[in-house]
Amino acid sequence: MNRPKKTEFKFPTHIDEYPTGPQYAAGYLPETNAGWRSVRPVVDHDACVYCLRCYLLCPDGTVVKDNGKITFDMDYCKGCGVCAHECPKDAIEMVKE
Amino acid sequence: MKSNKIFISGDEAVAQGVRLSRPHVVAAYPITPQTITVERLAEMAESGEMEGEYMHVESEHSAISATMGASSVGARTFTASSSQGLLYMAEGLHYCSGGRWPVVMMNANRSVALPWSIYGDQRDSLSLLDCGWIQVYVEDAQEALDMIIQAYKIAEHKDVLTPMMVNLDGFILTHTYELVDIPEQEMVDKFLPAFQTPNKMSFEEPKNLGFSSKPDDNTEFKYQQNEAMFNSIQVLKDVDQEFADTFGRKYDGMVEEYRCEDAEVVLVALGSVCGTIRVVVDKMRAEGKKVGLLKIRYMRPFPEAEVKDLAKRVNAIGVVDKDISFGYEGTVYTNVNSAISKIDKYVYKSNFVGGLGGRDITKDEIEEMFNKLFSGVENKSEEKVEFFSLNVESND
Ligand code: SF4
Ligand code: SF4
C-alpha cells in the first residue's frame, strides 16, 4: 500500500499565514507521536509469518507492509506495545529507546 | 426606481429582508417577540417563495449549531432569537465568531428573567457584547429590512468573515406596523452576490477543522478575530454607501448624528428610543435650546472615533441605557465614557438607565434628561448613573 505523503508543517511566522478561523487545508500534521515513545517495537523476521495482525491492530496505523516484511513508521509509533501483545508468534519485542 | 411599499411589522420586514438575501438554510426556534419572523420564513419556505431550507430545530442552541454547520460548507444562513433564547445560544455565539462563520441573526431585544418579562430592553444583546459578533441596532422596520441585506454583505466580506446580529427593539419595532419599501429581487441579487469563501469545506478542497489550539497559537486566532472586527468598520461604511447608491437609503455607517452641528448637550442612544429623542430635540430646538442626538448604530465594532469627535464639540453627553451592568453602570455608558476619556477635554457626562422590562421612555423624561445635562454643566455636578425613572421613592 502507498502510504500518504507527509506534508511538512511549518509553524507560521506571520499572522497572515494563519488560517482564517480553524478551517484550514487538510493534510498537515503539525506534530508526530514519536516523542511519546519510551519503548519501540522490533520484529524478528525469522519468527514473523506475515499474518498482518499487527498491521490491522496498531491503533495508529504505523505498521508498514514492506514487500513481505513488517516495518514501522517510527515518526508515528507511540510505543504502546499493542502489536507485540497481539502477535501470535511473539515475533515483536518492545525494546527500550 | 420602482417603489413597492407594503404595510408590515418589524418582524415581517426582517423576514422580507431574509427572503431577498436568498439564504440556503434558516434554522431558528420561535420566541416572543421574534416569533412572527420565524413563522413568515417557515411559510415562505413551504410555499416556495423562499428557496432555502427551513430547519425545525428543538432549541436555540441547536439553531446556532445548525447554521454554523451549514455555513462551514459555504451556505448562506440565518437564525433569529431574543432574550432567554439568545442567552441559551450564548455558547454557540462564541463558537460561531471563532469559527469565522458569517451567520446573520436577528435579535428582538427583550428583557431577561427574573422577573420574567416578554417586553423590551437591551440587556440580552448588550450582555453578549464580547462574544465576537458585529452588533447593529436599528430604529425602524425599514432599517431592519435593509440591515439584514447589508449584514450579509458585511459579514461575508473576506476581510471580515464575522457573524452579525441585527437588533431591533421587541414590540416597539417587532410588533408595530409601518410602510416598508420592499426592494426588487433583481437589485438585491446585484447588490448581494452569492456567498464565496476560501474557508469552505468541500470535497474538492478538503479542510480540517482544527477544533482546539494550544497556548502556542490560540492568541493568534483571537488577534485575527479582533483585527477582522476592526476591518469591518471600513467595510460597513462602504456597504452602506453602495446600498445608498443602489436603493437610495443611507444610514451613515457607525452612528447617525441628529442636529448635532452646533449642539451644546447631546443624548446618546440605541434603537427605537432615538425616534422619540428626535421629536424632543425638534421641540427644544424650536425653543432655542441647542440639543442633539447621537444614534449609535454599531456597538461592535464600537464607534470610538465618532464619539470622540462629538465629545470635542459639545459640553455634555448623556447616555440613555436600556440596560444596567449591576454594580457599575449602563454598558453603553461604559463604552461611550471610555472613548471620551481619550480626548483632552472636560465633558459633563451622565447615564440615564431606563426602559427596563419594557417601561416606556417618555418625551417628558427625555426633556428632563436634556435639562439635567444643561444644569449639570452649569453647576459642574458630579457625573451620575441614574435610574430613569422609578415609580416610587428611593433611598437615594
Ligand atoms: S502479528 Fe506478528 S507474525 Fe503477524 S505480521 Fe505482525 S509481526 Fe508478523
Ligand atoms: S507499538 Fe503501538 S503504535 Fe507502535 S507499531 Fe506497535 S501497536 Fe503501533
Side-chain angles (χ1 to χ4, degrees):
Chain A
M1 188 189 91
N2 291 327
R3 291 178 61 77
K5 266 230 232 78
K6 267 183 301 214
T7 318
E8 207 204 327
F9 178 78
K10 286 216 335 262
F11 212 86
T13 55
H14 190 278
I15 194 75
D16 292 343
E17 290 166 24
Y18 268 88
T20 309
Q23 291 173 111
Y24 54 96
Y28 292 91
L29 270 175
E31 277 176 58
T32 61
N33 294 336
W36 305 3
R37 201 172 56 228
S38 56
V39 285
R40 61 158 66 217
V42 174
V43 192
D44 175 353
H45 291 292
D46 295 334
C48 170
V49 295
Y50 205 58
C51 70
L52 299 182
R53 248 181 102 81
C54 56
Y55 175 83
L56 289 172
L57 296 172
C58 166
D60 283 75
T62 61
V63 178
V64 181
K65 295 187 281 183
D66 185 8
N67 291 320
K69 252 183 155 182
I70 291 298
T71 60
F72 305 96
D73 183 338
M74 294 315 282
D75 276 347
Y76 297 107
C77 168
K78 63 189 173 193
C80 66
V82 167
C83 52
H85 188 265
E86 294 297 333
C87 173
K89 294 288 174 191
D90 286 335
I92 300 178
E93 194 192 339
M94 299 305 290
V95 179
K96 239 188 157 151
E97 287 273 10
Chain B
M1 195 193 308
K2 263 194 256 170
S3 152
N4 176 26
K5 288 198 170 163
I6 55 173
F7 193 57
I8 49 174
S9 67
D11 269 345
E12 288 172 302
V14 168
Q16 290 293 336
V18 174
R19 173 184 65 79
L20 289 164
S21 303
R22 297 187 188 274
H24 300 96
V25 174
V26 174
Y29 191 85
I31 179 169
T32 304
Q34 151 267 45
T35 311
I36 302 162
T37 302
V38 169
E39 285 176 351
R40 289 295 168 276
L41 288 170
E43 285 163 10
M44 287 172 186
E46 197 185 12
S47 70
E49 203 186 331
M50 184 179 69
E51 286 155 30
E53 198 75 34
Y54 185 95
M55 275 180 80
H56 293 277
V57 283
E58 74 278 32
S59 75
E60 289 83 357
H61 195 276
S62 307
I64 189 69
S65 303
T67 50
M68 281 192 277
S71 187
S72 73
V73 294
R76 178 170 287 162
T77 58
F78 179 77
T79 187
S81 196
S82 178
S83 180
Q84 309 300 133
L86 182 72
L87 298 180
Y88 188 27
M89 265 188 195
E91 185 200 12
L93 298 181
H94 286 268
Y95 261 86
C96 190
S97 57
R100 308 294 299 276
W101 294 304
V103 174
V104 169
M105 178 206 297
M106 167 264 218
N107 178 51
N109 279 120
R110 170 185 141 180
S111 180
V112 292
L114 285 171
W116 185 259
S117 166
I118 57 166
Y119 297 103
D121 64 38
Q122 293 163 342
R123 292 186 51 226
D124 53 357
S125 56
L126 287 174
S127 71
L128 292 167
L129 261 193
D130 293 343
C131 69
W133 284 54
I134 299 171
Q135 283 199 8
V136 68
Y137 291 78
V138 303
E139 190 181 339
D140 56 35
Q142 183 73 63
E143 191 179 359
L145 183 153
D146 292 346
M147 286 318 295
I148 294 288
I149 298 170
Q150 285 200 24
Y152 283 105
K153 192 145 178 149
I154 297 163
E156 291 171 2
H157 191 283
K158 66 170 179 33
D159 297 336
V160 178
L161 287 173
T162 296
M164 180 153 163
M165 190 188 293
V166 178
N167 291 283
L168 59 158
D169 285 313
F171 293 107
I172 300 174
L173 296 182
T174 58
H175 283 59
T176 51
Y177 283 65
E178 59 181 272
L179 267 183
V180 175
D181 184 82
I182 311 296
E184 295 287 324
Q185 182 70 64
E186 293 151 58
M187 285 168 74
V188 177
D189 289 346
K190 257 190 27 214
F191 174 80
L192 185 66
F195 172 37
Q196 304 277 353
T197 171
N199 247 8
K200 176 177 165 177
M201 299 224 203
S202 67
F203 289 119
E204 295 73 39
E205 286 179 80
K207 302 267 191 306
N208 283 336
L209 181 61
F211 215 63
S212 66
S213 90
K214 291 184 293 185
D216 305 11
D217 56 11
N218 204 299
T219 308
E220 280 69 18
F221 286 104
K222 298 299 129 188
Y223 176 90
Q224 278 190 328
Q225 261 180 271
N226 196 39
E227 213 181 25
M229 188 65 94
F230 280 115
N231 291 344
S232 73
I233 295 176
Q234 191 55 49
V235 172
L236 68 89
K237 288 178 184 168
D238 294 346
V239 167
D240 193 40
Q241 185 56 52
E242 204 185 318
F243 190 88
D245 297 341
T246 314
F247 302 101
R249 286 186 294 277
K250 187 164 164 56
Y251 294 100
D252 293 348
M254 301 285 277
V255 298
E256 186 202 329
E257 285 193 8
Y258 183 68
R259 305 192 76 167
C260 287
E261 319 80 56
D262 59 342
E264 287 165 11
V265 309
V266 165
L267 278 177
V268 177
L270 315 177
S272 60
V273 74
C274 291
T276 321
I277 298 176
R278 281 173 208 270
V279 175
V280 178
V281 167
D282 288 346
K283 174 183 177 272
M284 293 180 76
R285 280 276 179 177
E287 295 160 6
K289 293 177 186 134
K290 291 186 169 170
V291 295
L293 158 73
L294 182 79
K295 167 179 157 187
I296 290 190
R297 301 187 65 243
Y298 284 87
M299 274 301 287
R300 283 295 178 275
F302 188 74
E304 185 193 319
E306 290 80 358
V307 170
K308 277 156 82 176
D309 177 56
L310 178 79
K312 284 178 193 158
R313 293 183 272 132
V314 301
N315 300 332
I317 289 182
V319 177
V320 183
D321 254 291
K322 284 166 102 169
D323 81 290
I324 174 75
S325 178
F326 301 117
Y328 198 31
E329 53 197 21
T331 297
V332 183
Y333 186 63
T334 304
N335 282 266
V336 168
N337 218 351
S338 153
I340 298 175
S341 74
K342 293 171 193 169
I343 65 161
D344 192 16
K345 181 195 158 197
Y346 170 79
V347 181
Y348 176 69
K349 294 161 297 182
S350 216
N351 188 193
F352 305 110
V353 173
L356 298 184
R359 181 169 300 176
D360 284 333
I361 301 176
T362 65
K363 285 184 279 189
D364 287 347
E365 284 176 334
I366 290 166
E367 189 164 349
E368 202 182 327
M369 292 176 198
F370 275 125
N371 288 330
K372 283 193 171 213
L373 291 175
F374 277 119
S375 72
V377 177
E378 216 173 282
N379 307 326
K380 288 225 173 336
S381 316
E382 260 189 56
E383 80 178 54
K384 261 209 331 220
V385 179
E386 206 178 328
F387 270 65
F388 226 93
S389 51
L390 292 180
N391 283 338
V392 291
E393 293 287 315
S394 76
N395 293 322
D396 290 341

